[in-house]
Amino acid sequence: MADKKYIFTSESVGEGHPDKLCDRVSDAIVDAYLNADPQARAAVECLATTGFLCIAGETRGPKSITKEMVETIARHAVRDIGYKQQEFHWEKIQVDIRLHAQSADIAQGVDAAGNKDEGAGDQGIMFGYACRETAEFMPAPIYYSHAILKSLAEARHSGALFKLGPDAKSQVSLEYINGKPVRATSVVVSTQHDASVSQAEVREMVRPHVENILPKGWMCDEKDFYVNPTGRFVIGGPDGDCGLTGRKIIVDTYGGAAPHGGGAFSGKDPTKVDRSAAYAARHAAKNIVAAGLAEKCTIQLSYAIGVSHPISTYIDTHGTGRYTDEALARALMEVADFRPRAIRERLSLNKPIYARTAAYGHFGRTPDADGGFTWEKLDLVDALKAEIASKKYKDAEQAGNVTKADFGR
């Protein structure tokens, strides 16, 4: 596709989207368990509908996390998003909690014991991806889709756009020429609003938050700028549509620009490789691209429940690598350990850092001082460069991309 002209589209959903609200509640509960005990286990699901939240799942942690505390955490998450609507108000919703103890059968496979290392919390495949389309090494369509909604939410919380509601969606279509994005061909934004506001007024509220996010000169034609195309979006959030944890996994990752293993992140503690290994794969792919070893990189890891080492490791640089994919895979395994416990320790994942991941994507974010988004750090670049340069020239050369003289750069 590098020599073609094509259009690629990705969507994002805001923090008040019913599914994202459920992700936020689930991750806030995970944070509470990890804050009380960094070794706690949690797999928490949430369902939201008109006037109602149901929280279910399995946990293993201190008894200080009571049902009353879980309910308070859930209500505060809903409040922080901004839901004070008649049919979905953070103080008035009914909250049903159905959490139970973690399965002993799962625990015996995951826990370390004797000479047995800690195993993966489940079987599955996880993908990581990075590219040079943005400074954050993210595909441009999903990056700009997230940024538009985040800008609108910040303005809503500040009071500048107080007539907008929490529920929102965006969709950005970009034209690519020779593999690089050059402009937006269409932008779609749907945002909940007060009944007193017209569609035309909402359009002008949204416009600057699109124009300021897209690169200069990238704004689409006026006829291709769609804001609330149904004409009205007053009823929103869980009152308008049922929400579930883990239903926006493509929004959470790469907007369809890369494969997805199928497992959700939110609501899971980091022993679950659905989450931690996907973070590790992104960390590795980003560092490979940042090191100048490829223009884009896809990494797949696979695991078996109760087994510590990955069953397989796969790298695809889509023909952009300076070295063969096989050489990069060997180098990566030398500098990074992908056993579940090693991932958690390397990326400091046993911390209450997950509620902030629930909206605007888990990737392409700035690492936080308190340990959030550690998987976005570029701390493997030097080690990868040194390792790949030390490999045998013959089996690491990539025809047309690298010569022996390139090693050691």
Side-chain angles (χ1 to χ4, degrees):
M1 295 177 71
D3 59 350
K4 286 184 178 181
K5 179 178 178 180
Y6 60 93
I7 295 171
F8 191 83
T9 303
S10 294
E11 73 156 348
S12 179
V13 298
E15 63 186 22
H17 184 281
D19 295 331
K20 281 286 126 199
L21 179 145
C22 290
D23 286 344
R24 172 69 173 273
V25 169
S26 295
D27 274 336
I29 295 168
V30 170
D31 281 352
Y33 272 93
L34 293 176
N35 188 56
D37 178 1
Q39 303 306 317
R41 304 285 172 81
V44 181
E45 310 287 344
C46 179
L47 176 147
T49 187
T50 303
F52 179 77
L53 283 181
C54 179
I55 298 166
E58 57 178 30
T59 63
R60 189 176 81 189
K63 293 182 179 180
S64 60
I65 308 295
T66 63
K67 282 190 175 183
E68 291 75 18
M69 181 182 291
V70 169
E71 179 175 341
T72 297
I73 291 166
R75 289 188 186 278
H76 286 180
V78 175
R79 179 198 62 190
D80 292 346
I81 290 169
Y83 276 109
K84 299 179 181 179
Q85 301 170 2
Q86 182 175 350
E87 299 299 329
F88 197 83
H89 192 293
W90 71 273
E91 287 184 305
K92 301 174 183 177
I93 53 174
Q94 178 184 346
V95 181
D96 188 8
I97 299 170
R98 301 296 178 96
L99 296 174
H100 60 83
Q102 183 187 49
S103 162
D105 290 345
I106 292 176
Q108 72 175 356
V110 177
D111 292 346
N115 293 325
K116 176 187 174 297
D117 192 9
E118 183 179 300
D122 202 353
Q123 72 174 50
I125 55 175
M126 296 83 208
F127 286 92
Y129 179 75
C131 63
R132 289 194 172 274
E133 292 180 18
T134 63
E136 293 75 15
F137 299 93
M138 285 292 288
I142 187 66
Y143 179 79
Y144 295 127
S145 294
H146 286 323
I148 288 167
L149 292 184
K150 190 173 183 181
S151 179
L152 284 168
E154 289 170 351
R156 175 174 59 85
H157 284 299
S158 74
L161 292 179
F162 67 92
K163 289 191 176 182
L164 295 188
D167 197 355
K169 300 179 77 171
S170 65
Q171 184 171 288
V172 174
S173 300
L174 298 183
E175 180 181 24
Y176 284 71
I177 297 178
N178 296 327
K180 298 185 182 299
V182 297
R183 70 181 183 97
T185 59
S186 68
V187 176
V188 183
V189 178
S190 295
T191 179
Q192 190 180 12
H193 59 87
D194 188 90
S196 65
V197 183
S198 69
Q199 183 184 22
E201 289 173 314
V202 174
R203 184 183 186 88
E204 294 315 306
M205 291 178 185
V206 168
R207 184 187 301 277
H209 296 273
V210 175
E211 294 177 339
N212 292 338
I213 290 298
L214 292 176
K216 187 176 180 180
W218 279 34
M219 184 63 179
C220 63
D221 294 339
E222 188 66 17
K223 65 180 178 59
D224 298 312
F225 178 40
Y226 302 93
V227 176
N228 285 7
T230 64
R232 178 181 167 90
F233 189 3
V234 174
I235 300 172
D239 185 33
D241 193 9
C242 182
L244 291 169
T245 300
R247 203 158 54 173
K248 288 292 179 286
I249 58 176
I250 302 304
V251 170
D252 285 343
T253 53
Y254 308 102
H260 194 293
F265 303 158
S266 289
K268 297 175 181 176
D269 74 74
T271 66
K272 279 70 173 176
V273 284
D274 280 344
R275 179 167 226 157
S276 57
Y279 289 174
R282 159 65 179 176
H283 180 235
K286 183 177 180 179
N287 275 267
I288 285 172
V289 175
L293 303 178
E295 291 295 302
K296 63 173 69 174
C297 180
T298 299
I299 294 177
Q300 183 201 62
L301 301 171
S302 71
Y303 292 86
I305 188 168
V307 178
S308 59
H309 286 280
I311 301 301
S312 66
T313 305
Y314 165 83
I315 291 182
D316 183 3
T317 57
H318 309 276
T320 71
R322 289 184 57 220
Y323 310 101
T324 64
D325 294 342
E326 293 83 0
L328 287 173
R330 291 201 306 273
L332 177 62
M333 297 307 289
E334 290 294 329
V335 303
D337 189 338
F338 290 96
R339 291 175 296 170
R341 180 164 57 181
I343 291 172
R344 293 205 321 279
E345 291 175 353
R346 184 172 77 253
L347 299 179
S348 301
L349 298 182
N350 286 92
K351 294 182 177 181
I353 55 173
Y354 298 108
R356 70 192 75 174
T357 69
Y360 315 117
H362 292 243
F363 307 128
R365 309 286 289 273
T366 301
D368 294 325
D370 66 351
F373 301 105
T374 54
W375 50 94
E376 293 297 313
K377 290 184 176 180
L378 298 177
D379 52 2
L380 293 181
V381 168
D382 291 340
L384 283 165
K385 284 182 177 180
E387 180 65 28
I388 194 68
S390 72
K391 294 297 177 181
K392 294 179 180 179
Y393 298 145
K394 184 176 180 180
D395 65 359
E397 287 183 32
Q398 180 104 314
N401 290 333
V402 68
T403 66
K404 291 179 182 180
D406 287 317
F407 283 83
R409 282 185 179 178

